[in-house]
Amino acid sequence: MRRLVLSLALLAAVAGAACGDPPDKEIQQAQGAIDAARAAGADQYGREEFAAAEEALKRAHTAVDQRDYRQALNAALDARERAQAAAKESVNKKATARADATKALADADAALHEARAKFKAAETAHAAPRPLTLGRKAIDTGETAVQEARTAFDKGDYLGAIETARSVPARLRPATHDLEASTVTGARRRH
């Protein structure tokens, strides 16, 4: 019995010595990995894993506050691993978003080009003023949106660029249709 008590005491002393200090180094490494993941865009492109990394780091800090250093170490290691995974995930997703943003901008430019052509044809056909006014307004709004999308793209905000650029063709479609219809009507009036 005495041997068992001594063995348990020795085991407790070894375990206590191994986990007697807070895992400051591991927590700093986890924070560094989270900062690197954020810089790689993981907060946008790897949201779930990135949020899990931040949550694990919070758990590590809470465990340190409660002097549960083993739990703090586990949480810090988990945070670092998840942050690294989020960074890797974001690289792939960011590349895909960049390609999608490029296509969305090209589609928006094509829609603007078509709208300008329909506007010019309607103007040449002496279409009614209302469709021309609405068409000009829609084109101006589309041009502003494309500029905003390009600015977002240039800043690396590919998701913002996609969202803004994809709205342009939908906004221009009704005006383009009305301009086309008014061109036909204007041409009939002239004959």
Side-chain angles (χ1 to χ4, degrees), residues 1 58 88 93 163 186:
M1 179 72 171
K58 286 178 189 173
K88 287 177 187 173
K93 286 187 175 181
E163 184 179 336

Side-chain angles (χ1 to χ4, degrees), residues 15-24 26-27 60-76:
C19 293
D21 294 324
D24 292 331
E26 290 80 2
I27 288 174
H61 286 295
T62 300
V64 166
D65 292 344
Q66 296 171 351
R67 290 189 162 76
D68 186 351
Y69 300 139
R70 182 170 294 156
Q71 181 62 32
L73 175 63
N74 289 339

Side-chain angles (χ1 to χ4, degrees), residues 94-118:
K94 193 172 187 178
T96 299
R98 187 177 201 283
D100 290 348
T102 300
K103 183 182 180 326
L105 279 165
D107 291 346
D109 280 336
L112 272 172
H113 180 74
E114 180 185 2
R116 287 185 197 115
K118 301 285 184 188

